[in-house]
Amino acid sequence: MKTTIVGFPRIGENRELKVQTEEYLAGKLSFQELEAFAKDLRKKHLLLQRASIDLVTTGDFSYYDSLLDTSVLFNVIPERLRNLKLSDSELYFAIAKGYQQDGYDVKASPMRKWFNTNYHYITPEIDDNTQIKLNGSKPINDFLEAKQLNLTAKVVLTGPMTYLKLAKFAGNKGVNDFVDSLTNAYLDLFKKLSKVDCKYIQLDEPILVTDLESCDIELFKRIYDKLLSNNANLNIILQTYFGDVRDIYQLITSMPFYGIGLDFVESTTTLELLQKYGFPNNIKLIAGVVNGKNVWKNDYTKTLNILDKIREKTKNVILSSSCSLLHVPYTVTSETHIDEEIRSRLSFAKEKLLEIAELQQLLESNNRSQELILINNTKALSRINKLEKADVQDRVAKLTKADFVRTPDRETRSKIQQEYLNLPILPTTTIGSFPQTKEVRLNRSRYKTGKISKEEYISNVHTFIKDCIKLQEDLDLDVLVHGEFERNDMVEFFGENMSGFLFTKFAWVQSYGTRCVKPPIIYSDIKREQSITCDISKFAQSLTSKPVKGMLTGPITILNWSFPREDVDIKESAIQIALAIRDEVLELEASGIKIIQIDEAALREKLPIRKADRATKYLDWAIPAFRLTHSGVNAKTQIHTHMCYSEFGDIINEIDDMDADVISFEASKSSLEILNSIKACNFKTAVGPGVYDIHSPRVPTVEEITDVIKKILTVIHPSKLWINPDCGLKTRDIAETKASLTNLVQSAIISRPLCK
Ligand code: GLN
Ligand code: ZN
């Protein structure tokens, strides 16, 4: 056995699984029909794998999410759903999506980001009455499907340690109270798998690439000593990904695993660990050398170089992907409209299978250089010269430290802005988008498909903006927005107006459940080709005497929601995007826009998993890139930013260091904890902690909001506080929005006298 992968995408070539699952959820398809469909899809994926690799994966298929599958398999059902009379499939989707039928109104389990990816998992919820035990047969059925096709298959399971560490414990009990029952449940499953002739099991333990404490290492030992000693006839693969296992390398390599999967792509430390500590010859090293997170062809020369170094330490190697291929789209072949020059450099899941096979062939070849030429991979990483932009590179090269610093300092600016903007204390505003009604969507889609002219499209957008400004004036908000009716997401609209971005037609990636995203691909130097938002912002501002915020997406969010280049350092792309946004900022300012918001909704997305890497491998360029976007404006121009979460306690100083004048963030659901840490660290940016949750249709009352404001005022000085919802309003309807914002404004008015 020489080749494998960590996992394969499940959504299908054209998101078929999403479509069918949604049909089922809408009651248009029975669960049996959905199952039959899914079985065919799995078979197709198994055969596809077999065409290129030796050890195929099974068990990684899921209707919604693998952690959710694991919960259901081991009887971890949230307490509030335990006694509802639901069928297995109803229960499964109820955990994922909540259950609002037959008089029930039960919340879904919380969803969280899967490590440093844009995939989200359903958080296991364990309470004091949870009885963990094997209560299902999905992995066994999945294995039997592969067996029927005569394939050598490994069953992929979420690892018990990762599962427990990601679970949420509702009662008094914690990880240690459930570790034995969970380990036993895995052992029961192993027995059953063994009975049907399963030989290989892959346990995914990405938690091992996080910073581990000694208690974590103890936990690992406790689980794996038992798992490994109790099953003589199963070959267990410990699979890690998204980084290196520096805290536990020596321990895992001393345990009797059949194989250990390591990621040689995302962390260069993996190779260093191997070189320093060696690798036992009786364990298979499953070398993750083909990037499961990005869309470019593998650089075979570079990879062979790594593999040669690996083989100096062990020859017992199986080639694999760095992580599951779930994080890349299905196949390049669908993208017929892409320039051939660029297309020939792309590699999605299906193509990566082939790359692994080719690498294996090269590794064994007696005449590698000749074969390399045959495989014609030499262009994988070379710059596409005709697409390079010398002027952009030159501009980046000429940047100096001063370009990243806005003057005067924030306090001086704050006084100037106060005078210039003349806003009341506790000013009210919103985050940017207003409800995306049917008419708004239809207008965009009709324009995109050529059904209406540009003039008609713009005239409709103007009508939406007029209504939106009128609504905000009626509500008596202090700082207005234009409503974002011309965008459907935060990146596409900007990417389309910059060179260097490629938009695919079918390159969908699962984000969560049935939701897929189609991230653009950055393939060359980035340049703002024309003004992007100025016309719209100017139009909106012309309708009112109140300030209307210019609304932009920040460089790190644009970068983090795209597939990055591999031929240049990611920093370089970040700075290039920052320069493009900077041009837009300056043009907005010159057009009379007094307040500009630069959203960094996804700043945390690629924050390194390990604390030690955060400052030196990410924040040291991400924060300066943001500063570059606004350092050129006048003191009186007020810069806002927005983040879609409030877990920034651990990077709070860096966020302050972005040097925005105002930041809004999500705080309605979480406690006031973040506000305390804001106070404790002497945070200098003015803040708008969201005072109500826009993710729910519920209209908050005046009392509720006033109460929240009162609490916030116990920690934040009134001169530094803004009153706003916690995110954009695009998913809400107009009636809810009106009612909620009426109450928000009312609450601010009531609270102002308290600030004397
Ligand atoms: N300005 C954007 C909006 O209001 C921000 C969206 C976001 O934070 N995800 O929609
Ligand atoms: Zn947000």
Side-chain angles (χ1 to χ4, degrees), residues 642-644 726-728:
H642 166 71
M643 284 172 192
C644 283
D726 69 354
C727 196

Side-chain angles (χ1 to χ4, degrees), residues 57 117 166 252 260 262 347 380-382 407 425 433 437 454 461 491 539 558 569 617 661 673 681 698 749 751:
T57 59
T117 71
L166 297 183
I252 60 178
I260 297 179
L262 300 175
S347 171
L381 280 186
S382 57
T407 52
I425 193 141
S433 57
T437 58
K454 187 167 184 185
V461 169
V491 177
F539 175 76
I558 292 181
D569 198 327
K617 292 196 171 137
D661 297 301
E673 234 170 85
C681 85
R698 225 185 125 257
I749 291 172
S751 306

Side-chain angles (χ1 to χ4, degrees), residues 431-433 484 490 551 561 597 599 601 642 644 727-730:
I431 305 305
S433 57
E484 302 183 24
M490 295 180 68
M551 197 56 66
W561 280 342
Q597 179 171 312
D599 290 330
H642 166 71
C644 283
C727 196
L729 300 161
K730 61 178 159 238

Side-chain angles (χ1 to χ4, degrees), residues 206-225:
I207 200 77
L208 299 185
V209 311
T210 65
D211 294 324
L212 300 177
E213 292 175 19
S214 54
C215 58
D216 298 319
I217 296 182
E218 283 311 310
L219 176 68
F220 182 85
K221 270 209 229 31
R222 183 165 162 194
I223 296 172
Y224 278 88
D225 276 343

Side-chain angles (χ1 to χ4, degrees), residues 691 700-713 723 743-752 754:
V691 294
T701 63
V702 173
E703 290 70 34
E704 270 168 51
I705 303 181
T706 314
D707 211 44
V708 172
I709 298 176
K710 209 189 252 168
K711 280 201 194 115
I712 297 175
L713 280 169
I723 308 298
N743 293 351
L744 177 141
V745 172
Q746 192 55 34
S747 308
I749 291 172
I750 293 175
S751 306
R752 279 173 188 150
L754 304 175

Side-chain angles (χ1 to χ4, degrees), residues 435-453:
Q436 294 256 331
T437 58
K438 248 201 284 165
E439 294 75 27
V440 169
R441 285 173 204 278
L442 196 65
N443 186 46
R444 256 197 331 261
S445 70
R446 291 177 73 200
Y447 174 52
K448 284 219 157 164
T449 51
K451 294 203 179 89
I452 53 172
S453 67

